Amino acid sequence: MHARTPKRRFLAAAAVTASAALVLAGCAESQRGDNTGGGTDGDVDSTFIFAASSDPKTLDPAFASDGESFRVSRQIFEGLVGVKEGTADPAPLLAESWESSEDGLTYEFTLKKDVTFHDGTEFNAEAVCANFDRWYEFEGIAQSESLAYYYGKLYRGFKDKPEDAVYESCEATEDHKATVKLKQPFAGFISSLSLPAFAMQSPTAMEKYGADEISGSAEAPTLSEYAREHPVGTGPFKFDTWNVGENIELSAYEDYWGEQGQVQKINFRVIDDPVARRQALESGGIDGYDLVAPADVQSLKDAGFNVMNRDPFTILYLGLNQANEELKDVKVRQAIAYAIDKEALVKQTLPEGTKTAINFIPDSVNGYTEDVEKYEYDPEKAKQLLKEAGYEDGFTLDFNYPTGVSRPYMPTPEQVFSNLSGQLEEVGIKTEAKPQKWSPDYLDQIQATDDHGIHLLGWTGDYNDTDNFVGVFFGGQKPEFGFDNPELFKALSEARQIPDLDEQTPKYEEINTMISEYVPSIPLAHPAPSLAFSERVTSYPASPVNDEVYNQIELSE
């Protein structure tokens, strides 16, 4: 096996500065010509160039939790379950159908036939079980939040500590029928399988290239050879190359079971500066980009570019880490909530169509309720609460925020930081700026250690289930928030096992009220992310959960 490049070298390659990005945009026209190659469909240039805001964290979706990793993996991999076009609701994909037992513990999947992985391995029930067993059998740092984030949060336990595990077993009962058994009911099981983290991967490739050979630490894991160079799925595009800090190239899989569409080559070009992304589009160097800065939307429309918004299915929040002494006091957490003018934050830093947030779920998700503590902007009340907590003269907190990235819930993190830090200072809370590059430094520090203060993060919902938001955030102890609340953990665990929606809804409403009173963090807004494309992109499969596969793109030239 080839050893991974040392981390310091890897990160140096990934660090694209704003000035370099501007140069990239300036010469984008010639670079685009270098990448189109012979990829044409009749009179249509079939190479699609998309500007990513950062490198993916990994090419192995089982170890990913970030949007840029999933943007790439959705092209390469497919799961048993997908989503209905334009919605967050589950739909058949590699599984044509499924049946469940009355107790919610057994699921039989009937699989699509004549499907192969990109390495020629047959997709069948044995491959399905190999993937389920792989997740369950993760060991050591593979179980950490910085790696198996989704499996740990949703399926709760691994083979070496099965007490809390949701998964029990998978059996290939026929060549194209797989039976999955759970140890406890999980109402969101089918919906959860639409997550890219649970995509089907080639058992042959994972074994050949050591997919589970991970070293380093949870804070700084070293990617396997598979995750860097050999990801293999059943999707419409296969992996070609990853030039860290520059681009990722994919090409159409010639034996794909579905329709390939017009796009035959994809180039994900890393441009971390939002100004440079816009300039690259304007100069013709790229075909599109995500997370358009709010200030750029109208000017791009006026110039004839296609700008569209996804339906909001996001949450931006201010994380509060109770490992910090001041934040252990609920009065301090409440004071911070009252100190924030969410209306001003949205108006000044977030896209048109963004809604202020009072829950950690959008209003379209089951369990949303107005019956919560809303913490309407009241700086005087914030000062009073700080006085009652013994901080009349204020205090200073580290304020961690990411740089060199735009996220669907936070297109301009530096602006959000500046806005919020100014508001907090008005009530006596000074902040020490702690900027960090998004991947891997920021995510690893926030999610895998308690060495941080208040921080900016958020979530783009993966499927239409309340647990996918509040359960992921607050379902158990985690370094990001640093608190232990057994009552909340128990309530969330019980709610996720209730299969009847009418019975489940009031439970989640109670939980959202409980969260608002406890203030583990502060929900800020539900942004509506914008995308921009060249005129030649006549149709793009915009999805509230970012389930956007590029064989569905339509091009005019």
Side-chain angles (χ1 to χ4, degrees):
M1 295 295 175
H2 299 293
R4 182 195 177 214
T5 304
K7 184 174 184 234
R8 60 181 180 275
R9 182 178 172 190
F10 185 91
L11 295 181
V16 181
T17 63
S19 59
L22 289 168
V23 171
L24 176 66
C27 63
E29 192 83 47
S30 61
Q31 288 184 328
R32 194 194 200 308
D34 291 343
N35 282 278
T36 53
T40 58
D41 175 20
D43 294 330
V44 174
D45 177 358
S46 59
T47 296
F48 184 77
I49 304 179
F50 192 91
S53 66
S54 72
D55 277 294
K57 182 178 178 181
T58 173
L59 297 178
D60 181 345
F63 291 136
S65 62
D66 64 297
E68 293 299 352
S69 293
F70 288 153
R71 193 193 307 279
V72 176
S73 71
R74 289 183 194 276
Q75 317 307 320
I76 301 172
F77 300 97
E78 297 169 315
L80 297 180
V81 180
V83 297
K84 295 177 183 177
E85 185 175 351
T87 77
D89 300 327
L93 189 53
L94 290 180
E96 293 185 333
S97 62
W98 50 83
E99 295 180 357
S100 63
S101 60
E102 289 187 10
D103 61 7
L105 295 177
T106 302
Y107 292 80
E108 183 180 75
F109 295 92
T110 299
L111 308 179
K112 191 177 289 295
K113 297 178 181 178
D114 300 320
V115 175
T116 59
F117 291 97
H118 301 157
D119 61 355
T121 300
E122 181 186 2
F123 169 72
N124 55 24
E126 289 187 359
V128 169
C129 291
N131 277 271
F132 272 94
D133 289 342
R134 179 206 180 197
W135 306 325
Y136 184 51
E137 294 170 5
F138 284 152
E139 297 178 339
I141 64 170
Q143 297 180 3
S144 66
E145 282 198 13
S146 60
L147 290 168
Y149 185 87
Y150 279 103
Y151 192 85
K153 289 302 173 188
L154 297 180
Y155 294 96
R156 301 297 175 91
F158 299 89
K159 187 176 182 179
D160 60 350
K161 295 179 181 178
E163 319 68 73
D164 300 320
V166 171
Y167 174 75
E168 180 174 295
S169 66
C170 178
E171 181 183 1
T173 53
E174 296 180 22
D175 195 35
H176 288 87
K177 284 193 175 181
T179 298
V180 176
K181 292 186 177 181
L182 307 182
K183 292 181 181 178
Q184 55 181 278
F186 175 23
F189 175 62
I190 290 297
S191 294
S192 75
L193 294 180
S194 67
L195 288 169
F198 304 128
M200 295 290 104
Q201 306 194 51
S202 166
T204 305
M206 288 193 292
E207 181 177 358
K208 181 177 180 180
Y209 299 108
D212 297 336
E213 294 176 6
I214 302 166
S215 57
S217 65
E219 295 79 11
T222 299
L223 301 180
S224 68
E225 182 183 1
Y226 174 84
R228 289 181 288 114
E229 300 175 8
H230 301 285
V232 179
T234 65
F237 299 95
K238 58 185 177 64
F239 173 77
D240 290 333
T241 61
W242 180 8
N243 301 304
V244 176
E246 297 179 10
N247 72 331
I248 290 177
E249 295 183 355
L250 313 177
S251 59
Y253 175 47
E254 59 186 14
D255 293 324
Y256 180 56
W257 61 268
E259 294 184 11
Q260 285 191 327
Q262 290 178 296
V263 175
Q264 297 295 296
K265 293 181 182 294
I266 303 172
N267 185 339
F268 289 105
R269 183 170 293 166
V270 178
I271 307 178
D272 66 359
D273 180 67
V275 174
R277 288 197 293 273
R278 187 199 72 224
Q279 291 176 340
L281 180 67
E282 292 172 332
S283 68
I286 62 174
D287 291 304
Y289 71 103
D290 200 351
L291 314 173
V292 178
D296 293 338
V297 169
Q298 193 57 50
S299 62
L300 286 171
K301 287 181 178 179
D302 292 343
F305 294 99
N306 297 322
V307 180
M308 63 180 70
N309 283 356
R310 294 190 184 93
D311 292 336
F313 205 66
T314 57
I315 178 69
L316 167 65
Y317 62 81
L318 179 67
L320 306 179
N321 178 17
Q322 293 184 42
N324 292 271
E325 187 63 34
E326 299 89 349
L327 297 177
K328 291 178 181 178
D329 192 326
V330 68
K331 289 185 177 181
V332 172
R333 303 196 300 273
Q334 291 171 338
I336 293 173
Y338 280 117
I340 295 173
D341 185 346
K342 297 178 184 178
E343 295 283 355
L345 176 71
V346 168
K347 183 177 181 181
Q348 295 165 17
T349 70
L350 295 170
E352 182 180 347
T354 296
K355 300 177 181 178
T356 58
I358 58 172
N359 288 216
F360 280 89
I361 57 175
D363 59 11
S364 59
V365 175
N366 176 47
Y368 182 91
T369 177
E370 294 283 335
D371 187 23
V372 294
E373 292 290 336
K374 297 182 175 65
Y375 299 101
E376 295 179 356
Y377 179 53
D378 190 340
E380 293 307 313
K381 191 163 187 176
K383 292 176 183 177
Q384 180 60 37
L385 285 165
L386 289 174
K387 181 178 180 180
E388 293 174 10
Y391 298 105
E392 184 175 5
D393 297 327
F395 56 89
T396 301
L397 279 174
D398 285 351
F399 194 154
N400 299 76
Y401 65 95
T403 62
V405 72
S406 296
R407 305 304 310 130
Y409 47 80
M410 186 174 52
T412 54
E414 292 91 344
Q415 291 181 22
V416 174
F417 159 75
S418 296
N419 188 287
L420 292 179
S421 60
Q423 293 186 24
L424 293 175
E425 189 165 357
E426 289 182 5
V427 302
I429 300 175
K430 296 181 180 179
T431 58
E432 184 76 26
K434 298 291 182 180
Q436 285 180 297
K437 288 286 290 185
W438 171 256
S439 178
D441 296 352
Y442 185 75
L443 285 180
D444 285 348
Q445 180 165 355
I446 299 301
Q447 294 181 342
T449 81
D450 62 4
D451 181 21
H452 56 275
I454 59 175
H455 55 276
L456 295 177
L457 257 182
W459 193 254
T460 299
D462 303 292
Y463 56 93
N464 199 351
D465 183 75
T466 321
D467 184 71
N468 182 236
F469 287 88
V470 291
V472 170
F473 298 149
F474 309 125
Q477 289 181 268
K478 55 190 301 188
E480 180 181 351
F481 303 121
F483 72 85
D484 184 14
N485 187 329
E487 182 184 4
L488 177 58
F489 301 159
K490 183 174 184 288
L492 282 164
S493 179
E494 291 175 348
R496 78 197 301 265
Q497 297 182 51
I498 300 173
D500 183 83
L501 197 62
D502 291 336
E503 183 182 350
Q504 187 188 61
T505 298
K507 294 292 185 183
Y508 275 125
E509 290 174 347
E510 292 173 8
I511 287 168
N512 281 317
T513 300
M514 185 188 308
I515 290 170
S516 73
E517 294 170 352
Y518 184 64
V519 203
S521 285
I522 300 168
L524 298 172
H526 302 292
S530 298
L531 304 102
F533 299 96
S534 65
E535 290 184 355
R536 85 184 193 103
V537 181
T538 59
S539 179
Y540 181 85
S543 163
V545 292
N546 293 4
D547 186 48
E548 297 158 1
V549 186
Y550 292 178
N551 63 330
Q552 299 175 41
I553 291 174
E554 294 180 7
L555 305 170
S556 64
E557 60 182 66

